[in-house]
Amino acid sequence: MSDSNELEVESISPFGPARSTIKGEPLTKEEIAKFNDFFKASLYLSLGMIYLRDNPLLKEPLDTKHLKARLLGHFGSAPGQIFTWMHFNRLIKKYDLDSIFISGPGHGAPAVLSQAYLEGTYSEVYPEISEDEEGMQKFFKHFSFPGGIGSHATPETPGSIHEGGELGYSISHAFGAVFDHPNLIALTMVGDGEAETGPLATSWHSTKFLNPITDGAVLPVLHLNGYKINNPTILARISHKELENLFRGYGYEPYFVEGDDVDTMHQAMAATLEHCVLEIRKFQQKARESGKAFRPRWPVIILRSPKGWTGPRKIDDKFLEGFWRAHQVPITDVHEKPEHLKILEQWMKTYEPDRIFRDGKISEDLKDLCPTGTRRMSANPVANGGTIRKTLRMPDFRNYALKVDKPASIMAASMANMSMFLRDVIAGNPTTFRLFGPDETESNKLGKVYEAGKKVWLGEYFEEDKDGGNLAPEGRVMEMLSEHTCEGWLEGYILTGRHGLLNSYEPFIHVIDSMVNQHCKWLEKCLEVEWRHKVASLNILLTAVVWRQDHNGFTHQDPGFLDVVANKSPEIVRIYLPPDGNCLLSVTDHCLRSSNYVNVIVADKQEHLQYLSMDDAIIHCTKGIGIWPQFSSDRGEEPDLVMASCGDISTHESLAAIDLLLQHFPELKIRCVNCVDLFKLISHDEHPHGLTDAEWISLFTDNRPIIFNFHSYPWLVHRLTYKRPGSHNVHVRGYREKGNIDTPLELAIRNGTDRFSLAMAAIDHMTAILGNRGAAAREQLRNEQLKAKAMAFEVGMDPPFLKNWTWPHTGLWSKGESRVASEQHLH
């Protein structure tokens, strides 16, 4: 190895006296001694959580009977996280900072929990776990143990808004937390393994959306401890210069703190954190006094310390500290090897529990290193966002009603109309509501919102931006072409007490399947934690839907996000498919007012038929599912057929199919059922919104064929209804993964969801009623379908008479009434 390579390796080593960008010795010898003791206390607690169920202060020789039977937890990242937290506490006290801590490597929960315990917060929220020897024993046993607390920074963890189990979201959550919290600093640990994920990489760009006047600040600490589970981390193995250039390229000013010599590292970390806090305050003061927002080079700290810092360097001549073996349980075989049990005991005793935890708790002198009250990062109400959440000031959605004199006779743009309602929600809540989306707000016909708040932009401006760019340093719309970052911002925003909505193209919401999954799990656990207050719901609006992605082709055709959401806890998830504009308004109002849910709304952005007046829409959405008598011909009688639909375009085709059937068989008794709330289909025993079986039969019968036209994959409806009486009569049409560059009708034909396919399916399932009378009608319907398809191939458009179809309004309802009256008279 050349001398230059040796120097480079030495420069990125986590060992040795502190090396730091910022020089200084702000701490006295007495303060260093106190920090050392606090560090030891925290590290002892971290190991105790992983290993001990008894003998918490090692007053007896350590024996296997004192150990947990199953050893769980991660120690490797804990020392660096503890080191950062405790040094930031000094600055909270010195400058009266309002701060929260976000643990990107949240599997290092012992670090976060140790601080909550030492600060006293843990005992406040769990009074049975007191600050004494008995409480410490319970604290240790409580960790990663049945009936206890998880091994990540779970909702049960005081001060946490970010579990850190699935990696990649710490920075986006942090920025979401500080938007519209002008005095908040989110101290955010980024694991070097986490830094390899795509979501984390894109989220560094969040500074381009951070307004130093109206927003707080994020202080990221990239923790280079060198290893993941069994592999080096990329950023820990590149040169200093490359790492500096990376973060300067992102727009940050990097500050290094590196080494393992504890005393000199205390001075380096104290000086660096203080410099960064003063830089943040300087930037904010400049912007706020001048009234001009700008984008400074925000600080980022790069902390390089050994994985499993302060542990044994080697055991049995195998590396531990500073190597991947320290990642999880550092010594795994203490049950089987007495000599390793002895090493663990000796290691834990280097933290001097008998001196530091006299009477089972730290001294008042050490306790004085911690802030008090809500200035403790483990007790900041921002991290229990429901405690500070303000109710939205909502306009009356009825004032935005579309006028519907005759059902299914006029076309209107439901989404563009709803955008005026959303505009006024933003205007009425200028610091507590934001709209998020990946560069699609205008495309999704929500452009009216810009009248209340532009798109936030702290990047450079061009002259042409004035011509419809809708950019401003202080805005309410957050757009970046990263679904991960937008979703992370929204989650951080609502978890810290505010409200919002994410709008996205339906096919690409799959990018954040896993993020939404994790948020659902977080909310479900919160329901079990008494001290967690409810936060605003996570609202997702999906548009540019599968049935109108005919022009973009197969890659843009995927409605399967609903399947992902339907798998989640019924206490948490809700799915709405409003059939028209007034229903969309009613559903959106309901979702924005709700709390602790994940609400998914699916509605197309193009012009569509309108079916219900506002009064009727409110009733329909309140029920979630119902019979539409204006499109039914079975009044007062048993139906021959149930035509059901869920989704705006699916409803359109289903109604057109009813029209076709009645043209051929005017005597047919058809019941039209529409579903807005998808979970109405599932049993009431399995979801609080579900219909009882009696209610199901009253709508669908248990002995008549049901042709159900569904927005998404048909198997989802079968899954939700498989236990229903007469479920064998449910014949679902939906997207069957058949697509291309099509016309809208041709795409429907490919998947069997067009009006002709639905009418033919109805005929096929009514042989008991129609016999062979349906053959001629079926043949004609097939011919008309083939003609429409041929025209699409010839001219690239659907036949206008099909595209512009409206309900004929030929007195269907009055005919039904007359028939019933006539038959009653005959009897």
Side-chain angles (χ1 to χ4, degrees):
M1 185 182 291
S2 68
D3 290 345
S4 62
N5 284 343
E6 287 179 356
L7 288 171
E8 185 57 57
V9 169
E10 186 178 331
S11 75
I12 62 172
S13 166
F15 296 101
R19 311 179 301 278
S20 60
T21 310
I22 300 299
K23 311 300 180 186
E25 296 185 351
L27 303 177
T28 66
K29 288 183 180 179
E30 292 75 17
E31 287 173 322
I32 289 177
K34 286 173 67 175
F35 275 112
N36 267 331
D37 282 352
F38 198 90
F39 197 28
K40 287 179 179 180
S42 303
L43 292 167
Y44 182 80
L45 292 176
S46 297
L47 281 179
M49 279 182 261
I50 293 171
Y51 285 103
L52 301 183
R53 61 174 299 192
D54 206 353
N55 191 19
L57 290 171
L58 298 182
K59 289 181 177 179
E60 302 173 33
L62 186 58
D63 189 276
T64 53
K65 68 182 180 183
H66 303 138
L67 300 175
K68 295 179 178 179
R70 189 166 62 142
L71 304 177
L72 298 170
H74 294 68
F75 181 75
S77 72
Q81 295 197 73
I82 291 165
F83 196 70
T84 303
W85 182 306
M86 69 182 193
H87 276 288
F88 204 76
N89 273 348
R90 181 179 75 91
L91 302 174
I92 292 174
K93 293 190 68 175
K94 184 174 180 178
Y95 297 107
D96 190 30
L97 302 179
D98 183 16
S99 304
I100 60 172
F101 186 90
I102 292 179
S103 174
H107 49 253
V112 180
L113 294 168
S114 68
Q115 302 311 287
Y117 185 71
L118 292 174
E119 291 181 354
T121 313
Y122 203 89
S123 299
E124 290 169 13
V125 298
Y126 303 111
E128 70 279 11
I129 299 178
S130 49
E131 294 182 76
D132 52 31
E133 185 173 353
E134 181 185 355
M136 186 184 293
Q137 182 269 327
K138 292 179 180 177
F139 177 62
F140 286 166
K141 184 180 177 182
H142 202 226
F143 174 77
S144 206
F145 201 82
I149 194 169
S151 63
H152 300 80
T154 61
E156 296 96 331
T157 304
S160 177
I161 65 164
H162 172 91
E163 181 162 337
E166 183 172 289
L167 302 177
Y169 317 135
S170 58
I171 291 291
S172 57
H173 281 167
F175 276 90
V178 302
F179 291 144
D180 296 320
H181 273 152
N183 299 317
L184 185 67
I185 296 178
L187 179 64
T188 306
M189 295 296 294
V190 180
D192 49 356
E194 178 187 22
E196 297 176 9
T197 65
L200 198 287
T202 64
S203 65
W204 290 117
H205 289 295
S206 298
T207 55
K208 284 82 170 178
F209 304 87
L210 188 75
N211 186 316
I213 300 174
T214 59
D215 302 329
V218 174
L219 179 52
V221 180
L222 174 62
H223 188 201
L224 300 182
N225 62 28
Y227 293 90
K228 303 182 286 285
I229 294 173
N230 188 227
N231 213 42
T233 56
I234 294 169
L235 296 184
R237 295 292 185 96
I238 64 176
S239 71
H240 253 241
K241 183 57 67 177
E242 190 174 351
L243 201 53
E244 287 179 29
N245 288 341
L246 175 67
F247 281 96
R248 289 204 170 101
Y250 274 130
Y252 292 83
E253 187 60 40
Y255 297 95
F256 287 83
V257 178
E258 305 166 284
D260 78 322
D261 177 68
V262 176
D263 285 1
T264 54
M265 286 291 282
H266 280 311
Q267 295 284 24
M269 194 62 168
T272 301
L273 279 169
E274 187 157 11
H275 175 84
C276 292
V277 166
L278 294 176
E279 283 287 284
I280 288 169
R281 287 192 146 194
K282 181 180 75 176
F283 298 148
Q284 291 175 336
Q285 183 178 7
K286 178 182 175 182
R288 292 169 190 181
E289 288 180 354
S290 68
K292 294 181 180 179
F294 69 103
R295 181 168 65 91
R297 283 195 173 275
W298 295 98
V300 58
I301 294 173
I302 299 170
L303 172 63
R304 193 190 307 268
S305 63
K307 201 169 195 73
W309 187 14
T310 72
R313 178 67 170 132
K314 286 185 176 181
I315 295 178
D316 294 344
D317 209 32
K318 292 184 180 295
F319 285 109
L320 181 67
E321 183 201 30
F323 200 47
W324 58 262
R325 289 190 185 92
H327 179 75
Q328 295 179 338
V329 177
I331 308 175
T332 58
D333 51 5
V334 288
H335 281 286
E336 297 78 25
K337 293 188 175 181
E339 66 274 24
H340 286 184
L341 181 64
K342 191 64 179 176
I343 290 172
L344 174 63
E345 181 181 28
Q346 291 168 348
W347 176 12
M348 295 184 74
K349 283 189 171 181
T350 65
Y351 300 134
E352 303 180 84
D354 53 340
R355 178 179 67 85
I356 290 176
F357 290 105
R358 287 180 184 155
D359 303 319
K361 63 179 180 180
I362 57 174
S363 67
E364 289 302 316
D365 204 29
L366 283 188
K367 193 87 163 184
D368 191 51
L369 290 175
C370 303
T372 58
T374 57
R375 282 299 189 241
R376 295 171 295 175
M377 288 191 285
S378 60
N380 194 320
V382 170
N384 188 6
T387 62
I388 61 171
R389 175 171 62 101
K390 296 178 180 177
T391 302
L392 282 177
R393 295 177 62 230
M394 296 286 286
D396 187 343
F397 68 94
R398 298 169 184 81
N399 295 336
Y400 307 84
L402 291 167
K403 187 176 172 62
V404 180
D405 293 325
K406 292 183 178 180
S409 63
I410 62 159
M411 301 282 283
S414 304
M415 194 64 66
N417 181 66
M418 193 274 283
S419 75
M420 293 187 285
F421 170 67
L422 208 54
R423 171 199 63 197
D424 294 345
V425 172
I426 291 172
N429 302 274
T431 60
T432 55
F433 184 93
R434 292 197 186 206
L435 176 66
F436 300 81
D439 185 36
E440 292 161 4
T441 303
E442 183 70 38
S443 175
N444 288 340
K445 312 300 182 186
L446 297 173
K448 282 287 184 182
V449 298
Y450 298 136
E451 295 173 9
K454 305 294 187 185
K455 290 178 283 190
V456 177
W457 188 255
L458 272 294
E460 301 299 326
Y461 284 75
F462 289 163
E463 179 65 27
E464 54 264 34
D465 292 329
K466 297 175 184 176
D467 185 20
N470 291 306
L471 304 177
E474 186 174 344
R476 307 310 301 163
V477 180
M478 310 296 294
E479 285 200 343
M480 176 178 167
L481 194 47
S482 164
E483 286 86 353
H484 286 118
T485 302
C486 292
E487 171 69 12
W489 286 343
L490 173 57
E491 289 177 5
Y493 197 66
I494 61 178
L495 287 170
T496 53
R498 282 74 58 76
H499 308 255
L501 181 145
L502 174 76
N503 75 100
S504 175
Y505 283 7
E506 181 183 53
F508 302 129
I509 197 68
H510 276 301
V511 173
I512 57 166
D513 279 0
S514 194
M515 288 187 79
V516 174
N517 174 45
Q518 292 296 319
H519 190 76
C520 289
K521 291 176 184 292
W522 177 275
L523 290 179
E524 184 177 4
K525 293 305 294 183
C526 284
L527 295 177
E528 301 172 13
V529 181
E530 290 181 359
W531 51 268
R532 284 278 180 190
H533 291 244
K534 289 186 175 182
V535 297
S537 295
L538 177 70
N539 299 305
I540 299 175
L541 174 63
L542 300 183
T543 186
V545 300
V546 54
W547 304 110
R548 289 300 179 265
Q549 287 291 351
D550 46 273
H551 60 297
N552 277 321
F554 200 26
T555 58
H556 285 55
Q557 296 163 6
D558 190 332
F561 184 69
L562 301 190
D563 295 77
V564 175
V565 175
N567 287 332
K568 298 296 103 188
S569 169
E571 281 79 34
I572 298 301
V573 293
R574 303 289 184 264
I575 297 173
Y576 301 100
L577 295 101
D580 69 358
N582 287 334
C583 289
L584 176 60
L585 285 166
S586 178
V587 163
T588 303
D589 178 81
H590 169 76
C591 291
L592 293 183
R593 292 177 186 272
S594 69
S595 60
N596 262 49
Y597 294 131
V598 171
N599 295 312
V600 179
I601 305 171
V602 184
D604 191 51
K605 62 185 182 181
Q606 307 298 346
E607 288 196 349
H608 290 288
L609 281 176
Q610 303 299 313
Y611 309 115
L612 303 178
S613 68
M614 179 53 79
D615 288 344
D616 289 340
I618 293 170
I619 293 170
H620 185 49
C621 293
T622 301
K623 293 188 300 182
I625 191 170
I627 297 170
W628 278 5
Q630 66 271 41
F631 304 115
S632 300
S633 58
D634 69 325
R635 182 164 182 172
E637 300 181 71
E638 284 283 327
D640 300 318
L641 169 71
V642 177
M643 293 291 286
S645 58
C646 183
D648 43 15
I649 295 161
S650 304
T651 298
H652 182 136
E653 290 302 310
S654 185
L655 294 180
I658 292 174
D659 181 26
L660 290 173
L661 287 167
L662 290 174
Q663 288 177 32
H664 289 279
F665 308 103
E667 77 284 1
L668 271 182
K669 297 183 283 291
I670 300 174
R671 177 177 295 172
C672 176
V673 174
N674 184 261
C675 179
V676 180
D677 179 349
L678 186 62
F679 288 117
K680 287 292 177 182
L681 302 180
I682 199 169
S683 169
H684 185 72
D685 296 333
E686 297 179 21
H687 194 288
H689 283 202
L691 297 172
T692 65
D693 280 350
E695 290 169 330
W696 168 270
I697 293 170
S698 74
L699 292 175
F700 290 100
T701 78
D702 60 358
N703 58 0
R704 294 293 188 271
I706 302 160
I707 307 300
F708 197 122
N709 206 26
F710 183 46
H711 170 82
S712 185
Y713 292 101
W715 346 114
L716 178 55
V717 172
H718 282 300
R719 191 178 114 203
L720 296 176
T721 61
Y722 80 100
K723 285 200 221 175
R724 291 298 192 181
S727 61
H728 59 283
N729 294 318
V730 180
H731 309 285
V732 187
R733 296 301 180 101
Y735 187 67
R736 298 183 302 190
E737 204 64 17
K738 302 293 183 184
N740 206 331
I741 300 294
D742 296 307
T743 64
L745 186 61
E746 186 197 356
L747 178 61
I749 291 170
R750 279 182 184 270
N751 290 278
T753 61
D754 65 291
R755 60 198 71 180
F756 301 112
S757 295
L758 296 174
M760 287 187 285
I763 291 169
D764 292 342
H765 290 289
M766 285 194 296
T767 53
I769 296 169
L770 296 176
N772 199 37
R773 287 194 304 129
R778 195 186 195 289
E779 190 73 8
Q780 185 176 339
L781 291 169
R782 178 61 175 148
N783 291 342
E784 291 176 16
Q785 184 187 57
L786 290 172
K787 286 179 187 177
K789 194 171 181 180
M791 182 174 179
F793 273 81
E794 181 67 26
V795 302
M797 295 287 287
D798 290 322
F801 76 95
L802 295 176
K803 178 184 175 184
N804 300 324
W805 174 89
T806 59
W807 186 256
H809 291 283
T810 53
L812 172 66
W813 176 237
S814 59
K815 285 180 182 177
E817 283 185 317
S818 299
R819 185 178 64 243
V820 172
S822 173
E823 291 178 357
Q824 287 175 342
H825 177 72
L826 289 173
H827 289 302

